[in-house]
Amino acid sequence: MSYSLATLWYERSRYLPGVLAVAFSSLLIALQCGLLLGLFSITSLPIDHTHADIWMGAPKVLSVDLGESIRESISARLENQPEVTRTEMFLQGFSYWAKPAGGRELCMIIGSNLGDNALGRVDALDPDLRSKLSEPGAVVIDDSDVGRLGMKGVGDTAEIAGPKGPRTVRVVGLTHGLKSLAGPYVFCSHGTAREHLTMLEGQTTYVLGKCRNPADAETVVKRLKEQYPDQSTFTSAEFSYRSRMHWLTKTKAGIALGYAAALGLLVGAVVTYQTLSAAVKGSLREYAVLRALGIPRWRMALAVMAQSFWVGVIGVGLSFPAVYALAFVAASMGLDVILPWQLLVMATGVTLTMALLSGLLALRTLRQVEPAMLLR
Amino acid sequence: MMVDPTSERPLLGRQLTRVFGEGEMRTTALNEVSIELERGQVALLMGPSGSGKSTLLAVLSGLLQPDSGQVMALGQDLWKMAEIQRERFRLKHCGFIFQGYNLFAALTARQQLEMVVRWGEGGSAKEARRRANEMLTLLGLGKKAHLRPSELSGGEKQRVAIGRALIKDPEFCFADEPTSALDWAHGEQVIELLRNAAHERNATVLIVAHDARIIPYVDRVYNLEDGCLHENEEEGRAEEPHDHTGRNGNASAPLPQHTLRRFLQ
């Protein structure tokens, strides 16, 4: 065991504040980013829960929920690609849901094919629900939005605004886990969707495409982007990322996260610096003996840096179980925390860097090491 | 600059002056002090508190720069070296023992010694462990190598500190009040170890102390008073062997002198 690690273990109560500060910083970064990823994954939900490989929409569309009307006929551009096996229309847009007890709620209408192999239907719609949705005016909403839309449950009716005036809809079933951000999702058939969206005949919001081999989607998208700059063409992964990033930047949530994380890091850095500095001060006389013996200062600096490294490693190591525990608690409250390995690597990297920087600051304390102080 | 390890007078201080403070607070710790220390001898520097003993030790050992004067160590002018050279000189040639043990609380006796080999000489872990074990055995601490300072007695701690100073096999060993925190039985052991270092290893040992019981164990005695040095020739007992068993009187803590001598031969 290295001298630094031995010291850390033996004097663990002295180093505990630093370790906890590092753990707290790491926890803050991982959990905040995970929460944000979870929150904004909602915006790309229509892409992530459907089965298309390619999405075609209006030019410069920023996010899937901000799609505009395009001509259905441009689907021919997609159909003509040799890698594409089939295409499908996807209708989407905002409307107003009138609650039976009064009041309106902005909602997101999503009209798709309902067949077994449909590209645009969310996978939560089982055959029974799809069969019910084929009836005019039938809609499915998420169980998390029942109260928000003023419903009591399946069978309830409400009115949704449309170009020809409000039309009555009936809730025929509920999904689970398809929460919304701006307005509740209302899943329905193409026919029902057209009743509520301001859209001319022969128009759609997106054209979806399926490739024989999903790996070809990128090639097709690249080709279509070059050939048709008057439309947006994305692979589903690309569009999903674009939608999440749009909301992350538009809402300034990323900046807010940055501030909060920076604050957490600052607190962590100060506490870690103080801890390491106090540890060096506590051993000034021992270091002074080594200096008298001619051991160079850089060798002691290396020991302090090793201590800061281990404080960082132990802190990060302690934080991850806590991150997963808190993510579990958040999930039980209906909050999604997404923790991809890249996020954990990033949190580890940032926090370890912070611990090492604190170590660098603590090196200033080593300047106080003076062998003459040992002489009486 | 070449060192002269064969010099019989490896450490010379000439006209050393060191003043602290200014105005009314001005104190002359050393006033044109000259001293010659011989190889293989233990010199004791005595004097009342504040007489400048520790200052002289610090100046001679390269820890504190004099205001004027010269320190020649192994033929080199110590205070004309660059700081990095002086640091290397200390690393190669000097061992230090201080009053308060100053051992790392978290490290075992063995690790305290290993650290000097590994950090100072860049020795391998294996080499450091071997040398530390050998030294601790010589000091009678072979079975306590795994203990931390809190598990050792005061005398044992000071022996570890001596081991830390001697593991480099230095030409010079400087000890500042090495016995003041110990009872006499343990203090005597410490002095014996330093005496052995001088006589058996041919090192130059300088002890600063004000305990007169040390006098019979050393080769030369100097008195420093008001910054001026006087040698007390009657009190030094150069080359005279000691009757350790008689004076030590502590059968439970035998002196490791015989083992040390065997090692040195």
Side-chain angles (χ1 to χ4, degrees), chain B residues 95-125:
Chain B
F96 287 88
I97 298 147
F98 300 98
Q99 184 179 351
Y101 322 127
N102 305 304
L103 301 173
F104 287 95
L107 303 185
T108 63
R110 182 189 296 122
Q111 286 173 323
Q112 314 271 355
L113 271 62
E114 283 175 354
M115 191 179 246
V116 177
V117 177
R118 297 196 65 189
W119 289 11
E121 302 171 16
S124 67

Side-chain angles (χ1 to χ4, degrees), chain B residues 30 45 55 75 80 88 98 105 107 116 139-140 145-146 150 162 166 179 185 222 238 249:
Chain B
L30 300 177
L45 187 56
T55 304
K80 282 203 172 149
R88 283 190 193 135
F98 300 98
L107 303 185
V116 177
L139 296 170
H146 63 289
S150 59
I162 290 173
L166 297 183
T179 60
Y222 295 93

Side-chain angles (χ1 to χ4, degrees), chain A residues 123-136:
Chain A
D123 43 20
L125 297 177
D126 59 31
D128 180 46
L129 282 181
R130 278 185 271 140
S131 156
K132 287 176 181 167
L133 279 180
S134 61
E135 294 168 23

Side-chain angles (χ1 to χ4, degrees), chain B residues 69-89:
Chain B
Q70 188 184 40
V71 175
M72 295 299 292
L74 300 177
Q76 294 184 82
D77 190 334
L78 204 55
W79 290 106
K80 282 203 172 149
M81 292 179 190
E83 192 177 343
I84 185 88
Q85 284 178 306
R86 200 161 38 247
E87 190 177 292
R88 283 190 193 135
F89 184 92

Side-chain angles (χ1 to χ4, degrees), chain A residues 283-313:
Chain A
S283 295
L284 274 187
R285 295 183 66 84
E286 288 76 24
Y287 282 125
V289 174
L290 297 183
R291 288 287 296 140
L293 288 170
I295 289 170
R297 212 180 283 269
W298 68 261
R299 200 64 198 69
M300 290 159 222
L302 212 60
V304 174
M305 291 310 291
Q307 279 176 1
S308 66
F309 173 76
W310 287 116
V311 163
V313 168

